[in-house]
Amino acid sequence: GLSGSPRSMATESSPSLYFACHDGFATFIRSPVLRFRRDALPPCDSPYTMFGSVGGHGAFSASGVTVAAYDQAFIDAHHEAGLLTALKHFPGHGSSTTDSHLGFVDISKTWTPKELDPYKTLFANGYSDFVMVGHLYDAAYAQSTDGAKLPASLSPEWIGGVLGGQLKFAGVVISDDLEMGAIRKQFDLHDTIVRAVDAGVDVLLFSNTAAYSPDLADTVRGVLVAEAKADPAFEKKIEA
């Protein structure tokens, strides 16, 4: 089987070999032994900086064509086993210069539209599972009424305007971990939840590892219920 980073896999193998490797793996994890319904998240990033997608190793290639080919192989293998996948990290972590696990990431001066090319290709091929939105700030796509610097994961312009509007993605939008430094150092829990839902996120992902709380799920649910009762527009978003 293949091991190592996406970049090393793309260097040492081919999309067909990558498919064969994940075909067997996906079949195993879908088996009665484990019974998973969703496996992993193929990176849709293209590294355009030395750090992009964690030093470039978290992405298959700087070529959007190559990225899409390996992602498609991953998707096909998992679909054959009855598993869903999630593309990450929209709109592209490949031009980042810092790590969103640790803190604020500004791609305003480095991001380019070509980072959307793999998504365009895969959507044109009929992909409609999940897209994971990254905590990536771009001043051109972060309008807010209170002046907050909204990362893509909390930005209606990125999620509704670009992902759902321009790219016509009709699948499920999932956030990257909302406890990562890029979020928790900028927004409190209540603000994070409300902004994510307002932006168009369908699944709010919390690892519950930054400061473990056995009550986190109940706290999140409580915020959602309270906001829904106070705001009919918000209620429609969580019921959609």
Side-chain angles (χ1 to χ4, degrees):
L2 297 173
S3 62
S5 69
R7 171 58 67 87
S8 66
M9 291 179 190
T11 301
E12 299 166 4
S13 67
S14 65
S16 59
L17 180 59
Y18 192 64
F19 169 87
C21 174
H22 281 284
D23 187 43
F25 179 66
T27 300
F28 169 70
I29 67 171
R30 183 66 170 82
S31 70
V33 177
L34 298 178
R35 297 184 181 276
F36 285 131
R37 292 295 183 272
R38 185 181 63 77
D39 171 22
L41 305 93
C44 217
D45 303 317
S46 297
Y48 296 116
T49 67
M50 288 298 292
F51 188 85
S53 235
V54 193
H57 298 291
F60 292 112
S61 170
S63 164
V65 173
T66 300
V67 171
Y70 277 88
D71 277 353
Q72 190 65 63
F74 184 100
I75 292 163
D76 290 345
H78 287 76
H79 281 185
E80 280 200 5
L83 289 164
L84 299 176
T85 60
L87 302 178
K88 66 174 186 179
H89 309 79
F90 182 85
H93 221 309
S95 59
S96 62
T97 57
T98 50
D99 187 348
S100 55
H101 290 87
L102 304 178
F104 185 73
V105 176
D106 190 342
I107 58 171
S108 301
K109 297 181 179 179
T110 53
W111 185 87
T112 64
K114 64 183 177 181
E115 295 189 54
L116 297 177
D117 288 349
Y119 293 96
K120 292 178 180 178
T121 298
L122 295 167
F123 295 167
N125 290 344
Y127 183 83
S128 60
D129 291 358
F130 290 74
V131 166
M132 173 177 278
V133 184
H135 308 316
L136 307 163
Y137 172 77
D138 187 327
Y141 298 88
Q143 298 299 317
S144 66
T145 57
D146 58 1
K149 293 184 175 181
L150 300 178
S153 53
L154 305 181
S155 168
E157 289 182 84
W158 272 122
I159 297 174
V162 179
L163 183 58
Q166 295 178 23
L167 302 185
K168 309 298 182 185
F169 177 66
V172 178
V173 177
I174 183 172
S175 72
D176 205 343
D177 179 13
L178 291 169
E179 289 194 329
M180 290 165 64
I183 297 297
R184 60 183 171 82
K185 291 182 178 180
Q186 300 287 120
F187 307 96
D188 63 27
L189 180 61
H190 180 278
D191 203 19
T192 295
I193 294 168
V194 173
R195 288 183 187 274
V197 171
D198 282 339
V201 177
D202 300 305
V203 180
L204 280 61
L205 179 63
F206 290 92
S207 65
N208 201 7
T209 56
Y212 175 74
S213 169
D215 302 319
L216 178 61
D218 289 336
T219 300
V220 173
R221 188 180 299 110
V223 172
L224 293 172
V225 171
E227 289 296 322
K229 289 181 178 179
D231 183 356
F234 188 91
E235 182 180 21
K236 288 182 179 179
K237 289 179 181 179
I238 64 175
E239 290 182 344

